[in-house]
């Protein structure tokens, strides 16, 4: 295909339905890669990536930071959203404009026209890191979808049903893909298996995931 827009427009997005209300928009964020990666670096300068502790006392293999009005955090006491970064004692960095625009347009493309994110969890997976099967259920109003942007090394996304034991389907997630799940799929279990080693030309030896939520 000829790139008529010089990489400036989300052209040739193909959709892959995962379940009712859940879709992968292939390559939707690709044209924004430079802005998104620069914005991640700026956020991480103010609120660095860190490996948090689960309520069960395990150190997570995924390194995380946040931006927006609230950030997702975990420690021995449990999971929560907090307006303050516990590492810096300051508010999380504001959500970059490029993040908001992408999250709003991806949600609309998936059929969620009213979505306005107030929190973005940024996950950094290095080879060997994984995120076990879980539901995103700490947000106040579950009418809002989750918008999840993948950058860097490819991975497999495990997407199951409303019960942990439901069958799990597997989807490749590559640089620039955006997954959106909401409505009847909002509480579907999902996870990411161990990241395979590799080197991405723009991101290096890592996968980044931006997960946009309406938390408050
Ligand atoms: C998440 O469930 O928060 C992250 C999913 C992903 O890394 O694709
Ligand atoms: Fe999640």
């Amino acid at each position: 295909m000829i790139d008529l827009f010089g990489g400036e427009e989300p052209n040739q997005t193909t959709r892959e339905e995962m379940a009712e209300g859940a879709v992968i928009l292939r390559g939707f964020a690709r044209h924004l890669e430079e802005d998104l990666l620069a914005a991640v670096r700026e956020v991480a300068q103010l609120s660095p990536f860190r490996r948090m502790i689960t309520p069960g006392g395990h150190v997570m293999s995924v390194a995380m930071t946040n931006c927006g009005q609230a950030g997702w955090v975990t420690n021995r006491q449990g999971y929560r959203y907090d307006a303050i970064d516990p590492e810096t004692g300051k508010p999380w960095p504001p959500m970059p404009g490029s993040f908001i625009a992408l999250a709003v347009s991806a949600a609309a493309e998936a059929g969620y026209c009213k979505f306005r994110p107030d929190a973005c969890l940024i996950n950094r997976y290095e080879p060997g890191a994984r995120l076990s099967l879980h539901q995103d259920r700490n947000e106040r109003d579950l009418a809002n979808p989750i918008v999840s942007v993948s950058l860097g090394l490819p991975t497999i996304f495990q997407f199951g049903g409303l019960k942990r034991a439901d069958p799990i389907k597997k989807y490749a997630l590559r640089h620039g893909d955006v997954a959106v799940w909401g409505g009847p799929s909002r509480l579907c279990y999902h996870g990411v298996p161990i990241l395979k080693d590799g080197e991405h030309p723009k991101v290096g030896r890592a996968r980044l995931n931006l997960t946009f939520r309406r938390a408050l």
Side-chain angles (χ1 to χ4, degrees), residues 62 64 72 121 123-125 131-132 134-136 146 148-150 155-158 173 179 181 190-192 207-211 213:
V62 181
M64 298 177 168
W72 186 88
L121 171 66
N123 294 315
R124 191 182 67 207
Y125 299 75
L131 194 61
S132 56
H134 66 277
Q135 294 170 300
D136 292 354
I146 301 285
S148 168
V149 178
S150 291
T155 193
I156 301 290
F157 188 50
Q158 302 163 322
L173 284 181
W181 61 97
H190 58 281
V192 175
R207 170 175 183 263
L208 292 169
N209 169 259
L210 316 177
T211 313
R213 299 108 189 275

Short mmCIF file of all heavy atoms in Angstrom, two decimals, residues 62 64 72 121 123-125 131-132 134-136 146 148-150 155-158 173 179 181 190-192 207-211 213, ligand 1:
data_model
loop_
_atom_site.label_atom_id
_atom_site.label_comp_id
_atom_site.label_asym_id
_atom_site.label_seq_id
_atom_site.Cartn_x
_atom_site.Cartn_y
_atom_site.Cartn_z
N VAL A 62 6.43 -6.78 35.90
CA VAL A 62 6.18 -5.62 35.03
C VAL A 62 6.48 -4.35 35.82
O VAL A 62 6.06 -4.22 36.97
CB VAL A 62 4.70 -5.61 34.57
CG1 VAL A 62 4.43 -4.44 33.65
CG2 VAL A 62 4.34 -6.92 33.89
N MET A 64 5.93 -0.33 36.34
CA MET A 64 4.77 0.53 36.07
C MET A 64 5.00 1.96 36.49
O MET A 64 5.73 2.25 37.43
CB MET A 64 3.54 0.00 36.84
CG MET A 64 3.13 -1.40 36.44
SD MET A 64 1.75 -2.00 37.46
CE MET A 64 1.29 -3.46 36.51
N TRP A 72 -2.92 3.86 39.11
CA TRP A 72 -3.17 2.55 39.73
C TRP A 72 -1.93 2.13 40.49
O TRP A 72 -0.82 2.14 39.95
CB TRP A 72 -3.51 1.53 38.65
CG TRP A 72 -3.91 0.19 39.19
CD1 TRP A 72 -5.17 -0.19 39.54
CD2 TRP A 72 -3.07 -0.93 39.44
NE1 TRP A 72 -5.15 -1.49 40.00
CE2 TRP A 72 -3.88 -1.96 39.96
CE3 TRP A 72 -1.69 -1.16 39.31
CZ2 TRP A 72 -3.37 -3.21 40.32
CZ3 TRP A 72 -1.18 -2.40 39.68
CH2 TRP A 72 -2.02 -3.42 40.17
N LEU A 121 -2.32 3.91 33.05
CA LEU A 121 -1.29 3.05 33.62
C LEU A 121 -0.33 2.70 32.50
O LEU A 121 -0.75 2.27 31.42
CB LEU A 121 -1.95 1.78 34.18
CG LEU A 121 -1.01 0.66 34.62
CD1 LEU A 121 -0.16 1.08 35.83
CD2 LEU A 121 -1.82 -0.60 34.97
N ASN A 123 2.68 0.29 31.49
CA ASN A 123 3.38 -0.95 31.85
C ASN A 123 4.62 -1.10 30.99
O ASN A 123 4.55 -0.93 29.77
CB ASN A 123 2.48 -2.16 31.58
CG ASN A 123 1.25 -2.21 32.46
OD1 ASN A 123 1.34 -2.00 33.66
ND2 ASN A 123 0.10 -2.47 31.86
N ARG A 124 5.73 -1.46 31.60
CA ARG A 124 6.93 -1.78 30.81
C ARG A 124 7.36 -3.21 31.09
O ARG A 124 7.69 -3.58 32.22
CB ARG A 124 8.09 -0.84 31.12
CG ARG A 124 9.23 -1.04 30.08
CD ARG A 124 10.44 -0.18 30.37
NE ARG A 124 11.08 -0.60 31.59
CZ ARG A 124 11.81 0.19 32.37
NH1 ARG A 124 12.01 1.46 32.05
NH2 ARG A 124 12.35 -0.29 33.48
N TYR A 125 7.27 -4.04 30.04
CA TYR A 125 7.67 -5.44 30.13
C TYR A 125 9.06 -5.58 29.54
O TYR A 125 9.29 -5.18 28.40
CB TYR A 125 6.73 -6.32 29.29
CG TYR A 125 5.28 -6.32 29.68
CD1 TYR A 125 4.46 -5.22 29.38
CD2 TYR A 125 4.70 -7.42 30.29
CE1 TYR A 125 3.11 -5.24 29.71
CE2 TYR A 125 3.34 -7.44 30.61
CZ TYR A 125 2.56 -6.35 30.32
OH TYR A 125 1.22 -6.36 30.64
N LEU A 131 2.12 -10.70 32.98
CA LEU A 131 1.03 -10.19 33.81
C LEU A 131 -0.02 -11.28 33.87
O LEU A 131 -0.63 -11.62 32.85
CB LEU A 131 0.47 -8.90 33.19
CG LEU A 131 -0.42 -8.05 34.08
CD1 LEU A 131 0.32 -7.57 35.32
CD2 LEU A 131 -0.94 -6.84 33.30
N SER A 132 -0.22 -11.84 35.04
CA SER A 132 -1.11 -12.99 35.13
C SER A 132 -2.57 -12.57 34.93
O SER A 132 -2.92 -11.39 35.02
CB SER A 132 -0.91 -13.72 36.45
OG SER A 132 -1.09 -12.82 37.51
N HIS A 134 -6.20 -11.50 35.03
CA HIS A 134 -6.88 -10.66 36.02
C HIS A 134 -8.05 -9.93 35.35
O HIS A 134 -8.15 -9.90 34.13
CB HIS A 134 -5.90 -9.63 36.60
CG HIS A 134 -5.43 -8.63 35.57
ND1 HIS A 134 -4.41 -8.90 34.70
CD2 HIS A 134 -5.88 -7.40 35.26
CE1 HIS A 134 -4.24 -7.86 33.90
NE2 HIS A 134 -5.13 -6.92 34.21
N GLN A 135 -8.88 -9.32 36.18
CA GLN A 135 -9.92 -8.40 35.70
C GLN A 135 -9.51 -6.99 36.09
O GLN A 135 -8.89 -6.79 37.13
CB GLN A 135 -11.26 -8.69 36.40
CG GLN A 135 -11.88 -10.03 36.08
CD GLN A 135 -13.07 -10.31 37.00
OE1 GLN A 135 -12.92 -10.36 38.22
NE2 GLN A 135 -14.24 -10.47 36.42
N ASP A 136 -9.89 -6.00 35.29
CA ASP A 136 -9.71 -4.59 35.68
C ASP A 136 -11.01 -4.17 36.35
O ASP A 136 -12.02 -3.94 35.66
CB ASP A 136 -9.45 -3.71 34.45
CG ASP A 136 -8.11 -4.01 33.79
OD1 ASP A 136 -7.33 -4.81 34.33
OD2 ASP A 136 -7.85 -3.43 32.72
N ILE A 146 -11.97 -0.08 28.65
CA ILE A 146 -10.51 0.00 28.81
C ILE A 146 -9.92 0.13 27.41
O ILE A 146 -10.34 -0.57 26.48
CB ILE A 146 -9.96 -1.29 29.46
CG1 ILE A 146 -10.60 -1.53 30.84
CG2 ILE A 146 -8.46 -1.27 29.52
CD1 ILE A 146 -10.10 -0.66 31.95
N SER A 148 -6.27 -0.01 25.46
CA SER A 148 -4.93 -0.54 25.76
C SER A 148 -4.06 -0.49 24.51
O SER A 148 -4.36 -1.13 23.50
CB SER A 148 -5.13 -1.97 26.25
OG SER A 148 -3.92 -2.65 26.31
N VAL A 149 -2.97 0.29 24.58
CA VAL A 149 -2.11 0.56 23.42
C VAL A 149 -0.80 -0.20 23.58
O VAL A 149 -0.15 -0.09 24.63
CB VAL A 149 -1.83 2.08 23.32
CG1 VAL A 149 -0.90 2.38 22.15
CG2 VAL A 149 -3.13 2.86 23.20
N SER A 150 -0.40 -0.94 22.56
CA SER A 150 0.84 -1.71 22.62
C SER A 150 1.93 -1.05 21.78
O SER A 150 1.69 -0.65 20.64
CB SER A 150 0.62 -3.13 22.06
OG SER A 150 -0.21 -3.87 22.92
N THR A 155 3.69 -9.35 21.60
CA THR A 155 3.37 -10.33 22.62
C THR A 155 2.07 -11.05 22.25
O THR A 155 1.48 -10.79 21.21
CB THR A 155 3.23 -9.66 24.01
OG1 THR A 155 3.22 -10.68 25.01
CG2 THR A 155 1.96 -8.83 24.12
N ILE A 156 1.67 -11.93 23.13
CA ILE A 156 0.37 -12.59 23.02
C ILE A 156 -0.54 -11.99 24.08
O ILE A 156 -0.12 -11.80 25.22
CB ILE A 156 0.52 -14.12 23.27
CG1 ILE A 156 1.49 -14.75 22.28
CG2 ILE A 156 -0.83 -14.80 23.26
CD1 ILE A 156 0.98 -14.82 20.87
N PHE A 157 -1.77 -11.68 23.71
CA PHE A 157 -2.76 -11.19 24.66
C PHE A 157 -3.73 -12.32 24.91
O PHE A 157 -4.31 -12.89 23.98
CB PHE A 157 -3.47 -9.98 24.03
CG PHE A 157 -4.40 -9.25 24.96
CD1 PHE A 157 -3.99 -8.85 26.23
CD2 PHE A 157 -5.68 -8.92 24.55
CE1 PHE A 157 -4.84 -8.16 27.07
CE2 PHE A 157 -6.54 -8.21 25.38
CZ PHE A 157 -6.12 -7.83 26.65
N GLN A 158 -3.89 -12.67 26.17
CA GLN A 158 -4.82 -13.72 26.56
C GLN A 158 -6.13 -13.06 26.94
O GLN A 158 -6.15 -12.20 27.83
CB GLN A 158 -4.26 -14.49 27.75
CG GLN A 158 -2.89 -15.10 27.48
CD GLN A 158 -2.18 -15.49 28.77
OE1 GLN A 158 -2.25 -14.80 29.77
NE2 GLN A 158 -1.46 -16.61 28.73
N LEU A 173 -0.39 -9.13 19.80
CA LEU A 173 -0.42 -7.66 19.92
C LEU A 173 0.93 -7.14 19.49
O LEU A 173 1.96 -7.53 20.07
CB LEU A 173 -0.72 -7.22 21.34
CG LEU A 173 -2.16 -7.33 21.84
CD1 LEU A 173 -2.26 -6.82 23.28
CD2 LEU A 173 -3.13 -6.58 20.94
N ALA A 179 -6.13 -2.37 21.73
CA ALA A 179 -7.23 -3.25 22.14
C ALA A 179 -8.21 -2.42 22.99
O ALA A 179 -7.78 -1.61 23.81
CB ALA A 179 -6.71 -4.43 22.94
N TRP A 181 -11.83 -2.94 25.29
CA TRP A 181 -12.89 -3.84 25.76
C TRP A 181 -13.79 -3.10 26.74
O TRP A 181 -13.35 -2.34 27.58
CB TRP A 181 -12.34 -5.16 26.32
CG TRP A 181 -11.44 -5.10 27.51
CD1 TRP A 181 -11.79 -5.27 28.81
CD2 TRP A 181 -10.01 -4.90 27.51
NE1 TRP A 181 -10.68 -5.19 29.62
CE2 TRP A 181 -9.58 -4.96 28.85
CE3 TRP A 181 -9.06 -4.67 26.51
CZ2 TRP A 181 -8.24 -4.79 29.20
CZ3 TRP A 181 -7.72 -4.51 26.87
CH2 TRP A 181 -7.33 -4.58 28.20
N HIS A 190 -8.07 -11.14 31.51
CA HIS A 190 -7.05 -10.97 30.47
C HIS A 190 -5.67 -11.02 31.10
O HIS A 190 -5.52 -10.79 32.31
CB HIS A 190 -7.27 -9.67 29.70
CG HIS A 190 -7.26 -8.45 30.58
ND1 HIS A 190 -8.35 -8.07 31.34
CD2 HIS A 190 -6.28 -7.56 30.86
CE1 HIS A 190 -8.04 -6.99 32.02
NE2 HIS A 190 -6.78 -6.66 31.76
N GLY A 191 -4.66 -11.29 30.28
CA GLY A 191 -3.31 -11.36 30.79
C GLY A 191 -2.31 -11.42 29.65
O GLY A 191 -2.68 -11.48 28.47
N VAL A 192 -1.04 -11.36 30.03
CA VAL A 192 0.06 -11.34 29.06
C VAL A 192 1.11 -12.36 29.53
O VAL A 192 1.64 -12.23 30.63
CB VAL A 192 0.67 -9.92 28.98
CG1 VAL A 192 1.88 -9.90 28.06
CG2 VAL A 192 -0.37 -8.91 28.50
N ARG A 207 8.56 -4.15 25.83
CA ARG A 207 7.22 -3.84 25.35
C ARG A 207 6.62 -2.82 26.30
O ARG A 207 6.74 -2.96 27.53
CB ARG A 207 6.35 -5.10 25.34
CG ARG A 207 4.89 -4.83 25.10
CD ARG A 207 4.07 -6.10 24.97
NE ARG A 207 2.70 -5.75 24.67
CZ ARG A 207 1.72 -5.67 25.58
NH1 ARG A 207 1.96 -5.95 26.85
NH2 ARG A 207 0.50 -5.32 25.22
N LEU A 208 5.99 -1.79 25.75
CA LEU A 208 5.28 -0.80 26.54
C LEU A 208 3.79 -0.96 26.29
O LEU A 208 3.38 -1.27 25.16
CB LEU A 208 5.70 0.62 26.14
CG LEU A 208 7.12 1.03 26.48
CD1 LEU A 208 7.47 2.34 25.79
CD2 LEU A 208 7.30 1.16 28.00
N ASN A 209 3.01 -0.78 27.33
CA ASN A 209 1.55 -0.84 27.19
C ASN A 209 0.96 0.35 27.94
O ASN A 209 1.29 0.58 29.10
CB ASN A 209 1.04 -2.16 27.76
CG ASN A 209 -0.46 -2.19 27.89
OD1 ASN A 209 -1.02 -2.00 28.95
ND2 ASN A 209 -1.13 -2.38 26.77
N LEU A 210 0.14 1.11 27.24
CA LEU A 210 -0.57 2.23 27.85
C LEU A 210 -2.01 1.80 28.04
O LEU A 210 -2.68 1.44 27.07
CB LEU A 210 -0.56 3.45 26.92
CG LEU A 210 0.74 3.82 26.21
CD1 LEU A 210 0.51 5.02 25.28
CD2 LEU A 210 1.82 4.14 27.22
N THR A 211 -2.47 1.77 29.28
CA THR A 211 -3.85 1.34 29.52
C THR A 211 -4.66 2.51 30.05
O THR A 211 -4.42 2.97 31.17
CB THR A 211 -3.90 0.17 30.49
OG1 THR A 211 -2.94 -0.79 30.09
CG2 THR A 211 -5.25 -0.49 30.47
N ARG A 213 -7.99 4.41 31.33
CA ARG A 213 -9.18 4.08 32.11
C ARG A 213 -9.90 5.36 32.53
O ARG A 213 -9.28 6.41 32.64
CB ARG A 213 -8.80 3.35 33.41
CG ARG A 213 -8.08 2.06 33.25
CD ARG A 213 -6.61 2.16 33.65
NE ARG A 213 -5.88 0.94 33.29
CZ ARG A 213 -5.83 -0.14 34.06
NH1 ARG A 213 -6.44 -0.15 35.21
NH2 ARG A 213 -5.18 -1.21 33.66
C1 LIG B 1 -3.18 -4.70 31.60
O1 LIG B 1 -3.99 -5.60 31.67
O2 LIG B 1 -3.16 -3.76 32.42
C2 LIG B 1 -2.11 -4.69 30.54
C3 LIG B 1 -2.39 -5.50 29.33
C4 LIG B 1 -1.26 -5.45 28.35
O3 LIG B 1 -0.09 -5.26 28.74
O4 LIG B 1 -1.51 -5.62 27.13
#
